[in-house]
């Protein structure tokens, strides 16, 4: 009987200790949840954008200074959001509020430069009506609308409802990560087409917020429900409009007055013949060919793309933002092509 009492006491101690551990873990998670999420965001951004900055360093990618400013502002936002989360977790609300005033200005600048980059993307590339850039406008509008709404709403109610304030700013920061996730090309697609595959990964970042609400409130906060619903509704709208000819025509017509007009010229038979042939290496291959009096770019297992000319050695893809500059040797024969597609530049040598 003594042994039974001892065993019962030990069991009680174990249960008490386990409950204490669980309580401590619960308290730690609820207190530091926003810090954990804020610490995860810069990692996601780095995974998405470091390859692009490496490409810039290597000279294969060139972007306008507006894009660099935009990237710097987003980076500052992520770091300020992390600092604010740490200050709130430690109870330093005086400095949290002081830093919050600066973050208001930063948030406005982030939103303004999101617009600036979007407009510059169209003006600098003057895409044809078929270009996928008009689909990318959907993604940019999505970020502009959701970030602008969550940010401004969160700032307006910061003194009245701190629980809604921190959730709104978390949602605003999550939607900024869409561009980074879009660039993490090694993520599996699970059979979903773009952009749905990218949306799924972003939406996964909302799941911890639902768990946090259940642990702290025993229910889902209305801001979490409203914010997640808005994000998903806009995502579904983007999926519906993606690739829509009507959407392309609308934005092409709207932006056409701002774009530089491409002046196409007709090449002579001799000039055309000099450009024809196979280009590439063991990893990539492309063919410049002539069919029914028109020039085409043929990629493996792809429909051929019609080409136009702006000079004897300058061609462009009529349905894409892609220019091809042909480099000639001293004897007049073409040696290679310098390809430019948006911010990327690469060379393709002519095969013998």
């Amino acid at each position: 009987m003594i042994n039974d009492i001892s065993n019962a006491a030990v069991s009680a101690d174990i249960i008490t200790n386990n409950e204490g551990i669980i309580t401590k873990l619960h308290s730690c998670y609820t207190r530091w949840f926003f810090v954990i999420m804020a610490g995860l965001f810069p990692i996601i951004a780095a995974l998405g954008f470091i390859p692009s900055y490496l490409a810039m360093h290597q000279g294969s990618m060139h972007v306008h200074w507006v894009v660099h400013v935009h990237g710097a502002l987003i980076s500052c936002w992520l770091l300020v959001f992390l600092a604010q989360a740490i200050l709130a977790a430690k109870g330093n609300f005086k400095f949290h509020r002081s830093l919050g005033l600066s973050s208001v200005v930063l948030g406005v600048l982030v939103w303004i430069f999101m617009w600036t980059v979007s407009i510059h993307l169209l003006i600098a590339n003057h895409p044809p009506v078929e270009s996928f850039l008009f689909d990318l406008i959907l993604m940019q509008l999505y970020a502009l609308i959701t970030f602008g709404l969550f940010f401004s709403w969160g700032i307006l109610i910061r003194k009245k409802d701190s629980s809604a304030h921190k959730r709104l700013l978390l949602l605003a920061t999550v939607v900024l990560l869409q561009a980074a996730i879009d660039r993490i090309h090694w993520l599996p697609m699970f059979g979903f087409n773009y952009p749905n595959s990218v949306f799924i990964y972003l939406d996964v970042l909302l799941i911890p917020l639902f768990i946090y609400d259940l642990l702290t409130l025993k229910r889902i906060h209305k801001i979490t429900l409203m914010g997640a619903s808005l994000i998903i509704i806009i995502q579904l709208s983007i999926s519906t409009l993606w690739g829509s000819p009507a959407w392309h025509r609308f934005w092409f017509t709207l932006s056409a007055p701002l774009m530089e007009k491409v002046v196409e010229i007709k090449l002579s038979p001799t000039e055309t013949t000099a450009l024809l042939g196979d280009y590439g290496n063991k990893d990539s291959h492309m063919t410049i060919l002539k069919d029914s009096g028109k020039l085409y770019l043929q990629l493996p297992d792809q429909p051929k793309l019609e080409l136009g000319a702006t000079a004897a050695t300058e061609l462009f893809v009529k349905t894409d933002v892609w220019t091809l500059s042909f480099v000639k040797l001293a004897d007049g024969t073409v040696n290679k092509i310098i390809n430019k597609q948006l911010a990327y530049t690469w060379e393709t040598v002519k095969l013998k």
Side-chain angles (χ1 to χ4, degrees), residues 252-265:
F252 179 81
T253 304
L254 187 66
S255 58
L258 303 175
M259 297 184 196
E260 178 184 352
K261 300 297 185 293
V262 177
V263 180
E264 185 178 355
I265 66 171

Side-chain angles (χ1 to χ4, degrees), residues 176-187:
L176 290 180
L177 297 174
Q178 188 73 74
I181 295 173
D182 188 31
R183 288 165 173 78
I184 307 177
H185 300 300
W186 46 263
L187 290 173

Side-chain angles (χ1 to χ4, degrees), residues 3-242:
N3 289 336
D4 291 341
I5 294 173
S6 300
N7 291 336
V10 170
S11 298
D13 289 339
I14 292 173
I15 292 171
T16 301
N17 290 336
N18 287 339
E19 289 178 347
I21 293 171
I22 292 171
T23 301
K24 185 178 290 187
L25 289 173
H26 178 276
S27 175
C28 183
Y29 177 79
T30 54
R31 182 181 178 186
W32 294 94
F33 166 75
F34 287 91
V35 176
I36 295 169
M37 293 296 290
L40 175 64
F41 295 160
I43 296 173
I44 295 173
L47 288 173
F49 285 101
I50 281 180
S52 296
Y53 279 93
L54 288 176
M56 290 181 218
H57 178 71
Q58 294 165 358
S60 61
M61 184 178 181
H62 306 275
V63 298
H64 195 269
W65 64 266
V66 167
V67 180
H68 288 294
V69 174
H70 169 65
L73 289 170
I74 297 290
S75 299
C76 289
W77 174 270
L78 295 177
L79 294 176
V80 169
F81 184 73
L82 175 59
Q84 288 288 67
I86 293 172
L87 290 171
K90 290 186 173 182
N92 191 346
F93 293 106
K94 181 179 180 180
F95 193 47
H96 175 87
R97 285 189 288 269
S98 299
L99 185 58
L101 296 176
S102 301
S103 67
V104 172
V105 177
L106 179 60
V108 171
L109 289 174
V110 166
W111 192 80
I112 290 173
F113 269 83
M114 288 168 71
W115 270 112
T116 305
V117 168
S118 301
I119 295 170
H120 176 266
L121 182 69
L122 291 180
I123 295 175
N125 294 287
H126 44 83
V129 68
E130 301 90 347
S131 175
F132 77 99
L133 287 185
F134 294 115
D135 293 315
L136 291 184
I137 292 295
L138 282 167
M139 301 290 273
Q140 292 166 325
L141 287 175
Y142 158 48
L144 280 161
I145 292 170
T146 50
F147 176 81
L149 176 62
F150 295 146
F151 165 72
S152 56
W153 189 3
I155 295 303
L156 288 173
I157 66 168
R158 68 188 186 280
K159 294 181 179 180
K160 298 179 181 179
D161 190 343
S162 61
S163 64
H165 165 73
K166 60 186 180 182
R167 285 171 173 82
L168 285 165
L169 291 186
L170 177 71
L171 291 168
T173 308
V174 165
V175 296
L176 290 180
L177 297 174
Q178 188 73 74
I181 295 173
D182 188 31
R183 288 165 173 78
I184 307 177
H185 300 300
W186 46 263
L187 290 173
M189 296 296 99
F190 299 114
F192 293 97
N193 295 326
Y194 186 88
N196 294 325
S197 54
V198 184
F199 290 152
I200 289 172
Y201 285 107
L202 183 81
D203 295 344
V204 166
L205 294 176
L206 300 176
I207 295 174
L209 183 57
F210 280 82
I211 297 173
Y212 172 80
D213 283 353
L214 291 174
L215 289 175
T216 56
L217 304 175
K218 309 303 181 186
R219 58 180 175 82
I220 305 300
H221 196 284
K222 64 180 181 180
I223 293 297
T224 303
L225 281 174
M226 293 169 64
S229 298
L230 176 63
I231 289 172
I232 292 172
I233 288 171
I234 296 179
Q235 289 173 347
L236 291 173
S237 301
I238 291 174
S239 298
T240 302
L241 287 172
W242 194 267

